[in-house]
Amino acid sequence: MTTRVELCKADAVAVGTALKVENGDLILAVFNIEGTYYVTDDTCTHGPGSLSEGYIDGDVIECNFHNGQFDIKTGEVVSPPCMIPVKTYKTAVENGMVVIEVD
Ligand code: FES
């Protein structure tokens, strides 16, 4: 079953930035890429890096630990040392809030 989870106000995440949001067991990074919101797990799949603290370049996030890169929209690895994609979530904005669907 899919659960809808409200994460934060959309205007709390400026264009070109990311915000770390914790909700229950989830630790997430909310990205605003040119006005569209995307959500991934915050923890890098390679180690302890926090993706919300990484460097955003277009739709790529570079982990600030070992500079691995992921596609923010798909979670796919763009650059090593990361090997495992980061989990992404179906994301929408409803009533000014960023909302995801969690399985
Ligand atoms: Fe992110 Fe190593 S912890 S690249």
Side-chain angles (χ1 to χ4, degrees):
M1 203 183 94
T2 303
T3 310
R4 210 174 135 279
V5 181
E6 279 190 356
L7 297 182
C8 62
K9 288 186 174 179
D11 63 11
V13 192
V15 172
T17 70
L19 180 70
K20 181 177 180 176
V21 175
E22 298 189 32
N23 188 305
D25 292 340
L26 298 170
I27 305 173
L28 304 165
V30 180
F31 295 91
N32 180 341
I33 306 299
E34 297 178 354
T36 303
Y37 294 81
Y38 300 91
V39 176
T40 71
D41 281 341
D42 185 59
T43 306
C44 182
T45 59
H46 177 255
S50 166
L51 296 182
S52 60
E53 294 174 11
Y55 311 105
I56 299 170
D57 182 11
D59 53 10
V60 171
I61 179 68
E62 181 175 306
C63 179
N64 64 359
F65 242 70
H66 311 107
N67 307 105
Q69 296 180 331
F70 300 94
D71 184 313
I72 292 167
K73 297 179 179 177
T74 66
E76 291 298 321
V77 173
V78 173
S79 180
C82 307
M83 303 287 283
I84 302 168
V86 69
K87 184 172 170 58
T88 59
Y89 296 83
K90 189 171 181 199
T91 307
V93 175
E94 296 174 5
N95 301 321
M97 299 291 292
V98 179
V99 177
I100 58 168
E101 289 182 5
V102 181
D103 293 328

